[in-house]
Amino acid sequence: MKNTLYYGDNLEILRKHIPDESVDLIYLDPPFNSNRDYNVIFKEATGEESEAQLRAFSDSWHWTPATQRTLEELTETAPSKLVDLINGFINVLGHNDVTAYLVMMAIRLVELHRVLKPTGSLYLHCDPTASHYLKILLDTVFGKTSLRNEIVWKRTSAHSDSKTLGNAHDILLFYTKTNKFIWNKQYQPYSDDYIRSHYRYVDKDGRRYRTDNLTATSLSGGGYKYEWNDVTKIWRCPKEKMQELHEKGRLHYTKSGGVEYIRYLDEMLGTPLQDLWDDLAPINSQAKERLGFPTQKPVALLERIIQASSNEGDLVLDPFCGCGTTIIAAQKHKRRWIGIDITHLAISLMKYRLHDTFGTDVQYDVVGEPADAESARALAEQDRYQFQWWALSLIKARPTGDEKKKGADAGIDGTLYFIDDTKTSPKKIVVQVKSGKVQVKDIRELIQVVHKAKGTMGFFITLEEPTEPMLREALSEGFYKSPGWGKQYQKIQIRTIAQLLAGEDFDLPPINVSFKRAEKARQKSNEEEALFETSSG
């Protein structure tokens, strides 16, 4: 399968597009009922957080008629043990947000189990408020012997929560489909205390090292008896190997005539990976990879999972893809990938991030986005806010608010920023999106909004063809003369969806700073790629 981004409900996409036993690794971080809305917070051009926030999705699940229909489908199609478990949850907990969430997860876990290869693994990321329920669900779907680890990731430093202990960790539930699964041993860096106590010596080049005994207990245990350094002993390696180590400067000679092997710290892989991960920092406010997505996980976390449980060329799936950290890590380590999300906003963020990180080196398909004016019209009829977010993504405009937005930003669907010169602040472009009938009063209103918002220009995106009065009204506002680029730009511009899809963009200065750019991928050196045989500590 090709690298693919899917827009839509992951349950439908799994059933329609993902074949049985085709995926090598699944990572999912499903939203849970934490009594808050996740907001995608975009950066202002100045680098400060914007007060304007967009509700991308709510992580509060409620018992609705749709939940009841899903439960009925589960009852008819799922294994009896899973049906009994879900009904048991409902009997004990009632019909509420928690059980609605568990019903939603149960039917999707059945599909994720279906698409996973026999050698495949699944990592489910959750916080401690949900992990106990999800573990029982996973035991029922995958089998109670399929749990490999409950991994604790320390995601934040010590802090004080009101009337409770500080909540500083998340849980990763690591399951496999069978006992024959892909596993590549991983290592964690040594602690500073370990380095100080075990690697006490420093050579003339500044390399830290420790020494290991080279004597063996007996010939029958694999030892070799011969004279070395005027001492006859049973050694751990043959004389030829001892000579080779001597010539390479890897032998340490003691005053008593002993011989020890020099083991350098920089050649060690570290401590074999445990189920407590306290060495991976979360995304903080200063992190280069931070995009402003509140549930964003560090790339290093996904890299560890992907390297441990898949090989180059394997297929990695994230059914709740968010801002795309999983697919970034998969692409970086030469895996194929599938990302699914239910908002066009998330799909747009993933596309920008892929381009910013890998440029033209990454190839992928996007399924579910409108490809022409007709399919764009269908999206607008289905969900005008999803249409609005998708339309804004065509010009990389940043959404400014949701359908409930009132006040100063009323009439602004999105914004673009450009830099005219280094001595002035970034300039704002106000963007409006219309999916229905349009007329000249829409352009007059846009002009008023641009003036009120102190914008430099205004862009109008429409599904319908603009009228001649609209075009004249837009032209009447005149031109903005750019001192930085030595060019004039029409202040109010109109483009149809068909024009944008055909590549006819708005005319504006070339530097767009509306979105925080993702950090470009760094190619590893040959030395970093090399694996050392001497891996013990």
Side-chain angles (χ1 to χ4, degrees), residues 6 22 46 87 145 153 233 256 379 426 432 473 500:
Y6 287 97
S22 60
T46 59
N87 285 327
T145 63
W153 173 46
K233 285 186 177 181
S256 61
L379 175 61
Q432 285 187 347
E473 189 69 26
L500 293 175

Side-chain angles (χ1 to χ4, degrees), residues 173-272:
L173 299 175
F174 170 28
Y175 280 75
T176 62
K177 194 166 186 177
T178 68
N179 291 329
K180 296 181 178 180
F181 55 92
I182 296 170
W183 181 251
N184 303 311
K185 196 170 186 178
Q186 300 295 301
Y187 299 85
Q188 291 174 291
Y190 296 127
S191 68
D192 291 340
D193 289 342
Y194 182 87
I195 292 173
R196 282 193 294 266
S197 63
H198 287 72
Y199 288 86
R200 295 175 294 167
Y201 308 113
V202 180
D203 71 7
K204 58 183 177 58
D205 296 321
R207 298 177 72 189
R208 279 191 170 271
Y209 69 93
R210 60 176 293 180
T211 59
D212 286 347
N213 186 10
L214 278 174
T215 59
T217 55
S218 66
L219 293 173
S220 59
Y224 304 86
K225 187 175 182 180
Y226 54 88
E227 180 186 336
W228 187 266
N229 195 35
D230 299 326
V231 176
T232 300
K233 285 186 177 181
I234 300 175
W235 304 99
R236 288 169 55 189
C237 60
K239 195 169 186 177
E240 296 79 11
K241 181 65 175 178
M242 189 75 86
Q243 182 64 39
E244 179 185 340
L245 293 173
H246 172 77
E247 292 172 358
K248 290 182 176 180
R250 299 303 295 260
L251 297 182
H252 172 74
Y253 295 95
T254 68
K255 294 179 180 179
S256 61
V259 183
E260 298 174 332
Y261 174 67
I262 296 175
R263 193 182 298 278
Y264 285 104
L265 175 63
D266 57 21
E267 294 179 348
M268 299 299 104
L269 295 176
T271 303

Side-chain angles (χ1 to χ4, degrees), residues 7 17 42 96 102 140 251 253 313 322 396 454 467 472 489:
Y7 159 72
H17 295 284
F42 295 95
N96 52 41
L102 295 174
T140 305
L251 297 182
Y253 295 95
K396 291 191 176 182
K454 298 181 180 179
T467 64
R472 287 196 299 270
Y489 301 91

Side-chain angles (χ1 to χ4, degrees), residues 23 107 189 210 240 243 248 259 283-284 417 420 501 533:
V23 176
I107 199 166
R210 60 176 293 180
E240 296 79 11
Q243 182 64 39
K248 290 182 176 180
V259 183
I283 301 293
N284 59 48
Y417 289 90
D420 218 352
L501 289 174
E533 293 182 3

Side-chain angles (χ1 to χ4, degrees), residues 440 443-444 447 468-477 492:
V440 69
I443 302 303
R444 291 172 182 154
I447 293 171
E468 284 298 325
M470 290 173 64
L471 296 173
R472 287 196 299 270
E473 189 69 26
L475 188 58
S476 70
E477 190 67 6
I492 304 298

Side-chain angles (χ1 to χ4, degrees), residues 348-360:
S348 299
L349 287 172
M350 283 185 260
K351 292 194 297 183
Y352 301 156
R353 192 176 183 187
L354 283 166
H355 179 269
D356 290 343
T357 307
F358 301 105
T360 58

Side-chain angles (χ1 to χ4, degrees), residues 344-345 348 351-352 368-373 375-377 379 384-395 463 497 501:
H344 280 293
L345 175 62
S348 299
K351 292 194 297 183
Y352 301 156
E369 280 195 326
D372 50 36
S375 54
R377 195 180 310 279
L379 175 61
R384 69 187 184 94
Y385 295 107
Q386 290 289 349
F387 167 78
Q388 178 178 297
W389 296 339
W390 167 77
L392 291 169
S393 77
L394 295 178
I395 60 170
L463 256 177
I497 290 295
L501 289 174

